[in-house]
Structures are given as C-alpha cells and as structure tokens.
Amino acid sequence: MVQGTASHVGKSLLVAGLCRLFRDGGWRVAPFKAQNMALNAYVTRDGREIGWAQAVQAEAAGLPPSVEMNPILLKPHADAGSQVIIHGNVWGNLTAREYYAQRPVLWEAIRTSYDGLAREYDLILIEGAGSPAEPNLMAHDITNMAVARLARAPVLLVGDIDRGGVFAALLGTLTLLPPKDRRRIRALIINKFRGDRSLLSPGIEFLERKARCPVLGIVQHLHGLAIPEEDSVSIEEIENVNTYAIPLESRHEPRPFRVVVVRLPHIANFADFSPLEQEPGISLGYTANPDGLGQADLLILPGSKNTIGDLRFLKESGWAKRILSYHRDGGLVGGICGGLQMLGLRVEDPEGLETGGEEDGLALLPLVTRLEAPKVTRQVRATLLLGPWGAAQEFEAYEIHMGRSWPIGECSPLFEILAPESSEPVGYCSSDGRAWGSYLHGLFDSPGLRRAFFSWLGANRPVGHEPLPPSLDYRALREASYNRLAETLRAHLSLDLLWNIVGER
C-alpha cells in the first residue's frame, strides 16, 4: 500500500508507475483506492463512475477500469457536503457527519470490492488518501490504515520534498501513528526531488536512524508527463503561467493559440484539457481572476460540481461581465458540461440536487437547464456535425451530468451520438460558432477534432498564429509516459527491497 504524509505528494502517479513496473514484470496487478474524494471522474464501460486516478492506474496496468478499483467516490459540491457514489452509482448527498454514520455500509462496499480483486489478481497496489496520521479522523478511517489491516498489506510512506519539510513530514507522520500501524510501514519514499542527490545523504542517514525504517528511494521530479492528475492542486503549476497580453513588439509575429480555462470554485473534470498542455502551438492557462484573460483566443468554462454556485461566482467576481465583453469583441467562448449549462439562459435545480433554486445564465446560448435525476454516466461514440468547425470527425467521449438542457431559441446542434443510440442532444453552438457548449468530456483527446477546431479558430482570429503541426496522439503519449514513469522507478527505487516487501504478503 502507498500512503502519503499529505495530499498531492504523488501517491497516484507512484501507484500508476508501480502498476506499469509490475505489469512489465509479468504480474497480474490491479490498483485499488477504497475511497477517493475527487471532482475529476471517469466513466467505465458499463456506465459507472470512478475517480480519474484509478482509471489512469488501470490503464498503466493494462486493464479496463472498473468500479471495484474505487468502490467509493466522493464529489464535494459544498463546503460541508458531497455526492456519495458507491460502486459507480449515486447513493446520496451527505454531510461529513452523515457520511461517517454510514461506516458499516461503506466498509462492506470496500471489503467486497477488495476481496473480488484479490481473488482475480496476483498483486493489488492500494493507494491511501490524504494522510493516515490525522488524529481527528482515525476513528472514522476507511481508506488508510483500516484498509492496510484488511489487506494485511505492508505500507510505503511517501513525502514530497519539492514543497519543503519532507523530513518533518515523514517523521511526524510516524510519530502520530499508533504503534501497531507504525509497524506496517516498511519503507519511506522521498518524491519530487530536484538537484544533486549526494547533498541529501546526511539527511537520509538521519531519517533512517530516527525512523528506524529504510528509505526505498529518492524519486526525481518528472516534467512533461502526459498523465492528467485528478487533484486540483496540480493546476496551480500552470495557473497564470502564461501572459495573455500581447507585447507591442510581437503583435505581428506568429504566436501560439492561447486558451484560458476559468478556475471555478467547484471545477470538475479539468482532465478534459490535459491534451492541450501537450499540443504544440497551443498555450494553456487556468485563472480564477478575470484580469488574467487578456487577449486569449479561446475562453472555456469547464465542468462544475455546483453549477448554480459557480454561476453566482462568475457574477460576483466580475467574470460574467468580462466574458460578455470578450464575446462582444469577437472572442470565442466554449463550455463543457457545467460550463455549457452556465452559457445558457437559466439553470434550475428544483430538487436541490446541488444548491437548489435557480439562476440566470450568461445567455450566450438560448438554452434552459434543469438539474434532475437520474445522473447520466456513459461512454459514447460521437461525430461532429456539419457547421463552423467542419464535419465528419468521429471520436470517443463520455458523459457525467445531472439533468438536461434544451433550446428555446435559434442555435445549432454540435455533435451527434452514434453509439449507444440516443435522441438527446449533447452540444450546441451559435450560428457563427463563437459560442458553443457540450456535455461530452474528453473532446480534446481526439487529434482529428482538435485539428478541425483549432484550424477553424486560426482562420477566424485577427492576429497571426504559428502554423499548427499535425496533432499528437495523446493516448500514445500517455502510454509513453507510463513507460517513462516505470523506468524512473526502476532507476531510483531499491528493487531488491521492494521485492522483499511485496513478498511479505
């Protein structure tokens, strides 16, 4: 089992890398995370929801993702409440106190999923959540040491040296754990290291002496992996990294397409934009500040787990006025899932599935949205319809949304579902194409669709751009990234110690 001293220390990527490493070694290996709290979600082949990280880990292990790999998914939609998804289906909206009261039900879901995987695979690589050393949460634990005890699993404890304080974090975690749980930790990993490894030697000797536990390895900080992370902390690294005002001296020089994603308070499924981080000729940035828009070529409203709440944020923060003026001046505005809903005339939540009530939208598309059950979760094959972007671009995508949207004015359907059969529209655009939205996640995974869209965008912007090279195969890039991650672990972990630890089970 891989546990961490805190969230975002790299547990998910390390488990993905270990999945690939063991798979390459001939093991039948599967990932498992008992409870995941994330707003980046994935839809399995049978139309059920799991955390994005477990889908990535399954892909690294060469497996189709399944709900057994993540039996409980929490999707926060308010400061004190989350949508609870058990075995891929919505179970209810609960506060933390209500959730903890359901521990027997939750634990049974975890136990049955783990037991099923354990019967099928040689090795289960379990990911913990947050930190196992939170005194106020230990009694409610269903995802860290409780799972280690269930699986009788040895634990690797990971600390992030890039953010500082890794020695204190590792030793502090060990100190706070009860003795029986502390004994489960067989080795330590220092993650995200940059610089001269020899300078760490005195610190490693001190750490091993104080912890009475070996350091399994020091893993270098990896840049440029085409593996989307599910934690919103990860987008801080590319938030506002680009300057969206064009310097006077370069106004007439070719430049990349600049794409801005609004960082909503309840942003969801921002993995949709990961392919744009890798695409040559495209510069992607996230910002919560309307002043960060500048002279962008494309503004996108992403998915949201609280559409009405985030729509109110747009109005209170000044984003709504900025978006409308940007659009009036010729800017292109798109929306995915919750973003599509916000671009419409009105969003209604009569059943209180999120915040309840209703809110006027930005009115860039003549749509009305009503949030209602059941939740739509499915994989689809779709095609781009004849319109401003071109036509006949088929691609695979998936839907995760509550409710439906319907037009009450003039706009054009954007995509058609080819399979499974469906009469429900999944996207619309204005007659000039400058406002568009879709319920489909994973749009930009398709090289053909990316090429069609950005070619049209380039032909309709007043400032010259760098010519777009052929679109990259993002799925192939992900495969290469899993291999690179596994090779890094081979190079920086003590494999003999790792095999010994795995052999304990």
Side-chain angles (χ1 to χ4, degrees):
M1 184 174 190
V2 177
Q3 297 184 16
T5 58
S7 296
H8 201 62
V9 299
K11 298 185 298 292
S12 296
L13 279 179
L14 286 174
V15 171
L18 289 170
C19 280
R20 178 53 58 95
L21 188 154
F22 281 105
R23 190 210 72 167
D24 290 348
W27 295 66
R28 293 180 305 139
V29 57
F32 181 76
K33 186 167 185 173
Q35 170 202 285
N36 196 346
M37 178 177 281
L39 289 178
N40 264 344
Y42 178 85
V43 176
T44 61
R45 289 176 182 173
D46 56 357
R48 295 191 281 176
E49 255 185 291
I50 64 171
W52 184 266
Q54 280 62 65
V56 163
Q57 292 160 0
E59 192 172 68
L63 302 173
S66 73
V67 294
E68 283 72 26
M69 298 169 183
N70 176 211
I72 299 174
L73 175 63
L74 303 180
K75 303 186 79 171
H77 58 77
D79 289 343
S82 295
Q83 183 180 77
V84 180
I85 296 167
I86 298 181
H87 287 148
N89 298 311
V90 176
W91 194 65
N93 291 325
L94 302 179
T95 65
R97 188 175 298 276
E98 291 168 338
Y99 180 74
Y100 293 143
Q102 298 297 325
R103 192 182 191 281
V105 176
L106 303 170
W107 187 249
E108 180 62 17
I110 290 167
R111 187 189 62 78
T112 56
S113 287
Y114 175 79
D115 287 348
L117 289 176
R119 285 192 295 269
E120 188 172 353
Y121 295 97
D122 302 326
L123 177 64
I124 311 298
L125 289 171
I126 308 169
E127 180 185 347
S131 164
E134 304 287 351
N136 57 314
L137 299 178
M138 286 181 182
H140 307 292
D141 176 36
I142 57 172
T143 191
N144 284 310
M145 285 300 181
V147 177
R149 292 191 291 271
L150 169 70
R152 302 193 304 278
V155 175
L156 307 177
L157 181 63
V158 182
D160 176 1
I161 196 171
D162 191 48
R163 290 184 173 238
V166 70
F167 298 105
L170 289 166
L171 291 172
T173 299
L174 291 169
T175 300
L176 289 173
L177 287 172
K180 63 179 181 179
D181 290 334
R182 194 183 311 138
R183 286 192 292 269
R184 290 197 172 274
I185 296 180
R186 301 295 196 270
L188 311 175
I189 297 176
I190 293 178
N191 199 24
K192 304 183 187 179
F193 178 71
R194 312 171 195 249
D196 184 348
R197 296 164 63 89
S198 66
L199 297 178
L200 268 186
S201 295
I204 298 303
E205 293 171 5
F206 171 85
L207 178 61
E208 291 184 326
R209 184 172 64 254
K210 284 287 187 180
R212 298 182 181 178
C213 189
V215 172
L216 181 65
I218 302 165
V219 181
Q220 70 184 60
H221 198 297
L222 291 175
H223 299 278
L225 289 175
I227 303 175
E229 297 189 54
E230 72 176 9
D231 193 331
S232 62
V233 177
S234 64
I235 64 178
E236 292 177 1
E237 297 177 4
I238 52 175
E239 183 174 10
N240 290 327
V241 294
N242 303 302
T243 301
Y244 290 97
I246 304 172
L248 288 173
E249 64 272 15
S250 61
R251 292 280 170 108
H252 302 291
E253 295 178 5
R255 62 178 179 81
F257 290 92
R258 290 180 171 133
V259 180
V260 173
V261 178
V262 179
R263 186 172 180 179
L264 301 168
H266 302 93
I267 187 172
N269 278 78
F270 54 86
D272 286 335
F273 313 112
S274 295
L276 302 184
E277 296 176 32
Q278 308 294 326
E279 187 78 354
I282 295 175
S283 177
L284 174 72
Y286 295 81
T287 180
N289 184 348
D291 293 336
L293 178 57
Q295 297 188 33
D297 299 298
L298 170 63
L299 171 67
I300 300 181
L301 292 177
S304 167
K305 194 62 194 73
N306 189 332
T307 303
I308 288 178
D310 282 348
L311 188 48
R312 289 170 180 163
F313 159 78
L314 293 180
K315 296 175 181 180
E316 293 165 1
S317 65
W319 260 117
K321 289 182 179 179
R322 185 71 181 90
I323 291 168
L324 295 177
S325 65
Y326 169 77
H327 183 260
R328 279 195 304 270
D329 292 340
L332 179 67
V333 180
I336 296 178
C337 202
L340 161 69
Q341 297 171 346
M342 294 179 214
L343 291 178
L345 299 171
R346 188 171 67 255
V347 180
E348 304 169 351
D349 185 10
E351 300 176 34
L353 296 174
E354 293 182 353
T355 57
E358 63 178 62
E359 187 73 20
D360 288 340
L362 300 179
L364 293 182
L365 291 171
L367 305 175
V368 172
T369 295
R370 180 170 297 142
L371 304 183
E372 56 189 16
K375 191 174 191 178
V376 178
T377 55
R378 61 177 181 169
Q379 292 187 2
V380 301
R381 183 157 188 81
T383 186
L384 174 66
L385 295 173
L386 180 62
W389 301 3
Q393 293 292 337
E394 293 188 12
F395 58 95
E396 294 178 350
Y398 58 98
E399 294 179 70
I400 307 176
H401 60 91
M402 302 291 283
R404 63 191 186 93
S405 303
W406 64 93
I408 59 172
E410 183 179 349
C411 59
S412 302
L414 187 57
F415 301 111
E416 177 182 12
I417 299 296
L418 302 177
E421 289 188 13
S422 173
S423 59
E424 288 288 324
V426 290
Y428 297 93
C429 69
S430 59
S431 58
D432 61 3
R434 290 195 303 108
W436 61 271
S438 175
Y439 273 120
L440 296 179
H441 295 283
L443 288 175
F444 296 120
D445 281 19
S446 164
L449 190 64
R450 287 200 310 274
R451 184 73 182 184
F453 174 67
F454 284 101
S455 293
W456 173 80
L457 177 60
N460 287 272
R461 299 303 294 160
V463 179
H465 296 79
E466 296 175 357
L468 278 176
S471 288
L472 297 172
D473 184 337
Y474 183 61
R475 300 296 174 88
L477 281 179
R478 279 218 302 258
E479 275 296 304
S481 293
Y482 297 137
N483 291 334
R484 179 183 166 204
L485 187 53
E487 285 301 321
T488 299
L489 296 184
R490 286 190 188 95
H492 296 292
L493 298 183
S494 171
L495 295 185
D496 287 342
L497 177 56
L498 180 61
W499 306 146
N500 288 338
I501 292 170
V502 170
E504 292 180 22
R505 179 66 177 82

